[in-house]
């Protein structure tokens, strides 16, 4: 049973973001938690009866409608808490997430330089003991190393480990750039993804791809074609699902609303979801302040401090018939100033949102 997830070389090269560091427990570090935990943390776990509204008391409910966030569907991408996992271990981190009202966790690797080893069975049990459902995990797409822990090099092992954790979703945060940025290159990548999706489905899981902004760029051999549209068209919707990182999708909107020749090519990220809601079981909820001077258009912030309208976005998805409980919403910040504070404040904000009457 693997306790390690190797780095994704493509993503590290392109985005200086996911180190794909793994995770390990360090219960002996619990004594450090009192000093590390943020003050005035919201207490109590969200319940189905209240729609997980307990953490909203930290910022106050906004409006009188029903909660925008469905009960039991708030998760967090553990990459956001990698500093705490590496120093405190999984147990104390999970305890804090339980206090903040989180329901689910998404992994970005299964070891993280922590105090000691942990098996995947122990990791699943520890999460569930704190009321946290392991919902998914990011694994690299491919590598030049034949022994790498990626879908392309070790598909069976990746799926074995996902099953050991009880995951219902297993995916990659790598873009489909393995063969290049042409239409045919993305068709080849789509074939790979269909293969991984079929293998995951055979085990009762859903394969998914998590976007950054580059997926919304244009094919180098046909600048009238948006690459994300190629991915959607060429992958089987029953086999390949999407985890929309909402922040990066709006960065893509800022960067790629014009074709290379300057002609307009506007798009709205939410419309992709509304057209095919069944393809988006997972979302990354991350926020940013609009900044046209930034080449990406936004400065990343804690959820609730930015300009992305999550009341609008989440409501639009969850109000679709049959879709209120069909999606999972994972809070994330790539580099939070203080990761526990980010987790607490993001949960409080999302739980405070109310639908407009």
């Amino acid at each position: 049973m693997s306790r390690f997830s190797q780095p994704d070389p493509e993503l590290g090269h392109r985005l200086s973001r996911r180190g794909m560091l793994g995770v390990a427990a360090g219960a002996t570090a619990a004594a450090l938690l009192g000093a590390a935990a943020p003050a005035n943390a919201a207490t109590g776990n969200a319940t189905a009866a209240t729609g997980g509204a307990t953490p909203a008391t930290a910022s106050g409910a906004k409006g009188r409608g029903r909660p925008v966030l469905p009960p039991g569907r708030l998760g967090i991408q553990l990459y956001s808490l990698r500093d705490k996992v590496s120093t405190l271990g999984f147990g104390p981190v999970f305890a804090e997430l339980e206090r903040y009202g989180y329901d689910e966790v998404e992994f970005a690797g299964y070891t993280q330089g922590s105090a000691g080893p942990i098996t995947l069975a122990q990791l699943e049990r520890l999460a569930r003991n704190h009321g946290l459902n392991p919902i998914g995990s990011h694994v690299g797409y491919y590598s030049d190393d034949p022994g790498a822990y990626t879908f392309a090099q070790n598909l069976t092992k990746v799926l074995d480990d996902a099953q050991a954790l009880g995951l219902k979703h297993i995916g990659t945060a790598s873009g489909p750039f393995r063969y290049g940025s042409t239409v045919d290159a993305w068709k080849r990548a789509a074939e790979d993804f269909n293969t991984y999706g079929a293998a995951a489905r055979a085990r009762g899981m859903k394969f998914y791809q998590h976007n950054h902004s580059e997926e919304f760029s244009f094919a180098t051999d046909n600048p009238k074609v948006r690459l994300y549209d190629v991915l959607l068209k060429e992958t089987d919707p029953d086999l390949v699902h999407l985890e929309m990182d909402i922040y990066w999708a709006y960065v893509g909107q800022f960067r790629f609303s014009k074709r290379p020749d300057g002609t307009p090519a506007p798009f709205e990220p939410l419309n992709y979801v509304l057209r095919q809601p069944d393809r988006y079981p997972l979302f990354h909820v991350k926020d940013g302040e609009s900044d046209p001077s930034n080449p990406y258009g936004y400065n990343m912030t804690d959820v609730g401090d930015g300009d992305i309208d999550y009341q609008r976005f989440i409501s639009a998805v969850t109000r679709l018939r049959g879709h209120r409980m069909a999606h999972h919403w994972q809070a994330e910040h790539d580099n939070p100033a203080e990761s526990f504070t980010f987790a607490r404040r993001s949960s409080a904000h999302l739980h405070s949102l109310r639908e407009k009457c």
Side-chain angles (χ1 to χ4, degrees), residues 6 38 45-46 56 149 168-169 183 221:
Q6 298 298 326
N45 204 5
Y149 189 83
K168 296 299 183 183
H169 307 84
V183 172
D221 62 333

Side-chain angles (χ1 to χ4, degrees), residues 249-313:
Y250 279 102
V251 170
Q253 181 192 59
F254 177 85
R255 296 181 65 195
F256 303 113
S257 283
K258 291 183 179 180
R259 296 185 180 89
D261 65 1
T263 57
F267 72 95
E268 166 55 52
L270 177 59
N271 288 343
Y272 276 107
V273 182
L274 298 183
R275 284 194 294 265
Q276 300 186 64
D278 291 330
R279 297 206 73 176
Y280 294 88
L282 304 170
F283 293 91
H284 273 191
V285 179
K286 113 184 10 163
D287 212 343
E289 289 181 313
S290 179
D291 179 4
S293 69
N294 184 324
Y296 289 95
Y298 292 88
N299 297 314
M300 198 176 295
T301 67
D302 291 352
V303 180
D305 289 344
D307 296 317
I308 297 177
D309 188 347
Y310 277 110
Q311 190 279 338
R312 168 181 172 265
F313 195 103

Side-chain angles (χ1 to χ4, degrees), residues 34 38 97-98 146 163 212 233 259 292 318:
L97 295 177
E98 182 180 20
Q163 278 195 306
H212 293 87
K233 181 180 178 181
R259 296 185 180 89
T318 58

Side-chain angles (χ1 to χ4, degrees), residues 17-172:
R17 179 170 179 268
R18 293 195 186 285
M20 285 294 177
L21 299 176
V23 182
T28 57
L32 299 175
L33 188 58
N40 301 319
T43 58
N45 204 5
T47 65
T50 63
T54 301
T57 58
S59 62
K62 299 179 180 179
R64 296 183 179 180
R66 72 174 178 175
V68 166
L69 192 70
R73 288 296 186 268
L74 178 61
I76 192 165
Q77 167 51 256
L78 290 170
Y79 180 80
S80 304
L81 295 158
R82 60 196 181 278
D83 63 322
K84 294 298 191 294
V85 173
S86 66
T87 55
L88 304 176
F90 255 151
V93 170
F94 285 170
E96 285 298 283
L97 295 177
E98 182 180 20
R99 292 179 62 207
Y100 301 160
Y102 284 94
D103 310 295
E104 301 173 335
V105 289
E106 182 185 33
F107 296 98
Y110 311 133
T111 64
Q112 203 157 353
S114 191
I118 186 170
T119 67
L120 297 178
Q122 290 170 331
L123 184 56
E124 180 196 17
R125 185 163 57 250
L126 186 60
R128 296 193 185 280
N129 286 345
H130 287 286
L132 299 170
N133 178 33
I135 193 63
S137 182
H138 288 184
V139 176
Y141 169 17
Y142 69 93
S143 172
D144 293 332
D145 177 3
Y149 189 83
T150 64
F151 282 96
Q153 277 67 44
N154 277 292
L155 177 61
T156 298
K157 186 59 178 172
V158 167
L159 298 180
D160 285 347
D161 289 353
Q163 278 195 306
L165 272 170
L167 301 181
K168 296 299 183 183
H169 307 84
I170 181 68
T172 184

